[in-house]
Amino acid sequence: MDKSYQSFNKHFPKAISKDIRDYVTNVVLKESRYIFIRRVKGIQFGYCTHCNNRFMTPTPLKHNDFTDCPKCGSRCEVKNHGTSRKYMIDSGFVVYYEKSKVNPNAIIARAWRVSRDYTKEYTEVKTHYQHLAKYLFEPGNAEMYERYFWNDTWHKCNSVYSLESKSLHANNWCSEESIRKAIQGTPFQYSTWDKHDQPQGDYVKFFALYSKYPVIEYLTKLGFGYFVQAKLFDRKTFSCINWRGKRVDQILRLSMQEIKEVQKCGDCANPLHLRLFQKSRSDNNRPSFKEIVSFFNRSEDVASYLDYILNYAKLSQVMAYIKKQLQHSKNREYRDYPAILIAWRDYLQECIELGYDLSNDFYLFPKDLYEAHQRTMKLVQMKADEILDQKIRKRVKELEGFCFEHEGLLIRPARSAQELIQEGKKLEHCVGRYTEDYAEGKTSIFLIRRLNAPNKPFYTMEIRDNRIIQTRGFKNASATDTVKTFIDEFTKAKLGKKSKRKGVAV
Ligand SMILES: [Zn+2]
């Protein structure tokens, strides 16, 4: 056995105490109490698996009924002596806390799978304890060892975690009474463990966190329990909290004066407010915490938009700009600040794409956000279309060799995104969707036209890997005989093999 396990194990008692056994018997496996009935010479006898007494039944009992044992008073389920007990095993998962044997400041917890197996002789059933894990929580340190069954050894886990989720049964228990007793007189006594929702019912994650971050107590008492919850459930904490901080001001990254300001607002404050207050510390025109709270008063999560915008502007400027845009008579488009933040962020991203200088207030704070955003959106779209068309022009060059004419029909590659969209609209099929694949060279789109009406959409053809994938006319019509002949001739001349037409709809 290795040394670190040995010193770890010193914290744990060897035995399973009477308290634990009572908890398991009376709570965890409370339902696992049966009276087995059998008839001997016409008289019904019962056997209670809880008190192990045999008795004549006062009134006849029936299989699967519930009744109180006349000897011990336990609520029991009645079972026929002869019933099949092939699968009759009751089990549960239990975590129980105790004080450490060696460190008065530490608490421990043990996890067991407990079971009662009735598949053999039901008069000899004992509760079986399968030890699964040991936890140690002490100031600055939390450890967990898990047992490997195949060689009955204990292994240190990388992090402390609950085995509850691994448990296949819903019958999971943790004695809160045992926690209350264990933490008495230890630093865990005021940990606020019972003030938070828990991801699992066994509290091991909470105590592991608390061992590392005693600031949890402060945070909870200051009304910042949200952050503790966020840590417990692995949610965002916005880096608002300095978890290693010792003093309140270090923890909240604010001065005592500022913390008082925050506390005055009580429950209405949320992590976003706190973060904005922290982030605006160096603003010369800094809004008060109360102003921040009453301004950002909606539940929408706008943190990421604000983050982006605060790269370019101070919080006071952001708030002033939002107010102005909301008042702006034309800006009925934005009814509330989240709408403005979203549009503003998008607009700023478009400005970056278009190469505008955002250190210039003219671009950063456009007089009319809606109009400015419409403009940049169009420009960005045009830029994207232009890039697409450049790619398509390159494809047209590559595909020129496939141009072909025969008996009044011609075929040629599609020349632009616009042309493809028009083709799709006129023929009422959806070739427009293929524009990007076409531009990227993933497929090739050809237009079949009549020689006497070269600009009028007629049939559209998709070719991939030198193979015709589909040919579609108006409303996805298949090729007419004339078109079929044309396609055969085209195939012979340009694709070098017999055409394969497939009826896949576009
Ligand atoms: Zn009994």
Side-chain angles (χ1 to χ4, degrees):
M1 218 183 285
D2 69 282
K3 259 201 166 145
S4 58
Y5 176 72
Q6 273 181 345
S7 64
F8 169 82
N9 201 34
K10 279 184 187 144
H11 292 269
F12 294 82
K14 296 272 168 296
I16 299 170
S17 70
K18 184 176 178 299
D19 283 352
I20 296 171
R21 291 186 186 276
D22 285 350
Y23 181 73
V24 169
T25 304
N26 299 324
V27 181
V28 182
L29 293 175
K30 189 168 190 276
E31 315 265 284
S32 189
R33 294 178 188 187
Y34 303 95
I35 290 173
F36 282 94
I37 47 168
R38 70 188 300 188
R39 267 181 196 285
V40 182
K41 289 178 184 160
I43 302 163
Q44 193 184 52
F45 288 90
Y47 176 85
C48 170
T49 64
H50 179 64
C51 65
N52 302 104
N53 276 308
R54 193 179 294 278
F55 47 85
M56 248 198 286
T57 56
T59 51
L61 300 175
K62 265 181 22 216
H63 184 64
N64 286 348
D65 273 357
F66 284 87
T67 188
D68 293 339
C69 169
K71 296 289 177 184
C72 68
S74 294
R75 194 76 187 153
C76 294
E77 195 174 344
V78 178
K79 291 286 170 192
N80 276 337
H81 164 80
T83 197
S84 166
R85 303 192 302 275
K86 208 169 154 190
Y87 303 106
M88 210 172 150
I89 302 173
D90 296 322
S91 64
F93 170 79
V94 57
V95 174
Y96 203 93
Y97 284 76
E98 286 162 288
K99 287 179 185 297
S100 155
K101 284 271 166 212
V102 289
N103 180 354
N105 286 329
I107 59 172
I108 57 159
R110 287 183 283 175
W112 290 277
R113 161 155 311 292
V114 291
S115 57
R116 287 176 67 83
D117 180 350
Y118 297 91
T119 59
K120 303 204 176 67
E121 193 50 61
Y122 60 71
T123 54
E124 279 161 25
V125 176
K126 297 244 169 357
T127 302
H128 178 65
Y129 289 74
Q130 190 179 36
H131 205 164
L132 304 176
K134 297 180 185 183
Y135 299 91
L136 168 66
F137 307 103
E138 53 190 351
N141 179 45
E143 283 177 64
M144 168 184 182
Y145 276 74
E146 210 177 339
R147 189 165 150 234
Y148 285 4
F149 293 105
W150 53 278
N151 62 356
D152 194 22
T153 53
W154 290 86
H155 290 260
K156 190 174 175 171
C157 303
N158 291 330
S159 63
V160 173
Y161 75 102
S162 169
L163 290 177
E164 215 180 271
S165 46
K166 270 193 181 177
S167 164
L168 297 172
H169 304 263
N171 194 23
N172 299 327
W173 294 89
C174 169
S175 163
E176 299 196 352
E177 189 49 40
S178 78
I179 297 179
R180 260 173 231 120
K181 271 192 192 163
I183 61 178
Q184 272 293 328
T186 73
F188 295 92
Q189 187 168 352
Y190 304 105
S191 61
T192 66
W193 63 280
D194 52 354
K195 300 276 187 294
H196 305 280
D197 292 336
Q198 305 286 330
Q200 279 92 23
D202 60 14
Y203 296 92
V204 295
K205 197 165 175 191
F206 177 86
F207 285 111
L209 271 182
Y210 188 81
S211 303
K212 266 163 87 187
Y213 310 121
V215 303
I216 283 172
E217 186 192 334
Y218 265 142
L219 286 172
T220 309
K221 286 175 182 163
L222 287 169
F224 294 111
Y226 170 88
F227 292 100
V228 181
Q229 287 288 293
K231 268 263 187 233
L232 278 171
F233 288 91
D234 301 315
R235 287 194 299 249
K236 281 191 269 180
T237 54
F238 296 119
S239 327
C240 288
I241 302 296
N242 172 12
W243 291 91
R244 307 242 170 233
K246 289 263 184 303
R247 298 195 318 263
V248 177
D249 55 332
Q250 295 168 335
I251 296 161
L252 294 177
R253 303 181 210 275
L254 294 170
S255 72
M256 289 314 286
Q257 187 58 42
E258 290 165 337
I259 289 168
K260 273 189 197 141
E261 212 182 313
V262 170
Q263 278 182 296
K264 261 187 218 151
C265 288
D267 288 343
C268 51
N270 68 31
L272 177 69
H273 299 139
L274 186 61
R275 182 160 64 165
L276 291 175
F277 196 45
Q278 288 168 340
K279 273 200 154 188
S280 59
R281 279 194 98 175
S282 58
D283 290 14
N284 33 21
N285 204 359
R286 186 193 195 189
S288 73
F289 189 70
K290 210 175 159 188
E291 282 172 314
I292 293 176
V293 171
S294 62
F295 190 95
F296 296 99
N297 57 359
R298 300 179 59 98
S299 59
E300 286 94 334
D301 181 8
V302 292
S304 64
Y305 304 107
L306 269 165
D307 254 7
Y308 189 87
I309 293 163
L310 288 172
N311 286 326
Y312 302 99
K314 302 263 187 223
L315 182 63
S316 52
Q317 293 175 307
V318 170
M319 287 163 69
Y321 181 72
I322 290 171
K323 264 186 220 160
K324 235 189 232 161
Q325 290 300 313
L326 284 173
Q327 285 160 6
H328 205 292
S329 57
K330 273 191 211 158
N331 280 310
R332 295 275 150 74
E333 290 83 4
Y334 308 127
R335 266 174 318 184
D336 45 33
Y337 73 80
I340 294 196
L341 286 173
I342 293 166
W344 196 8
R345 198 276 316 258
D346 291 349
Y347 160 79
L348 292 177
Q349 283 178 338
E350 285 153 6
C351 287
I352 298 282
E353 214 176 314
L354 296 168
Y356 295 171
D357 176 14
L358 289 181
S359 67
N360 185 339
D361 281 1
F362 177 79
Y363 292 117
L364 183 56
F365 303 111
K367 277 226 159 53
D368 184 327
L369 176 62
Y370 180 75
E371 271 182 12
H373 182 30
Q374 294 298 111
R375 214 162 40 235
T376 49
M377 231 170 5
K378 263 181 216 136
L379 287 170
V380 167
Q381 187 56 48
M382 273 165 64
K383 213 178 134 190
D385 289 349
E386 179 48 36
I387 290 166
L388 203 63
D389 274 340
Q390 266 174 24
K391 285 182 182 167
I392 291 178
R393 280 200 290 276
K394 226 179 113 196
R395 301 263 12 244
V396 172
K397 268 193 197 148
E398 292 165 10
L399 299 173
E400 243 160 23
F402 289 94
C403 290
F404 179 72
E405 286 181 26
H406 182 79
E407 292 189 355
L409 292 176
L410 70 86
I411 185 166
R412 62 166 174 81
R415 285 176 186 141
S416 69
Q418 196 52 38
E419 189 172 61
L420 273 178
I421 290 162
Q422 281 310 316
E423 183 91 356
K425 267 192 196 159
K426 285 270 155 57
L427 296 182
E428 298 185 26
H429 57 36
C430 33
V431 71
R433 264 195 231 152
Y434 290 64
T435 309
E436 259 168 61
D437 281 356
Y438 178 43
E440 300 297 335
K442 286 179 192 158
T443 194
S444 299
I445 307 291
F446 288 85
L447 312 181
I448 298 172
R449 301 269 163 100
R450 288 193 184 89
L451 271 172
N452 58 12
N455 294 322
K456 198 177 161 212
F458 184 43
Y459 273 83
T460 319
M461 180 187 275
E462 182 186 9
I463 299 180
R464 224 186 297 152
D465 302 327
N466 223 38
R467 212 161 61 95
I468 297 170
I469 303 295
Q470 52 184 342
T471 311
R472 293 283 152 186
F474 184 61
K475 287 194 173 174
N476 279 323
S478 312
T480 60
D481 285 345
T482 320
V483 175
K484 270 182 199 163
T485 312
F486 175 78
I487 292 170
D488 286 342
E489 289 304 318
F490 166 72
T491 307
K492 263 187 248 162
K494 299 292 182 180
L495 303 181
K497 56 180 174 184
K498 267 205 139 257
S499 80
K500 284 180 196 167
R501 286 187 297 271
K502 278 200 164 182
V504 187
V506 184

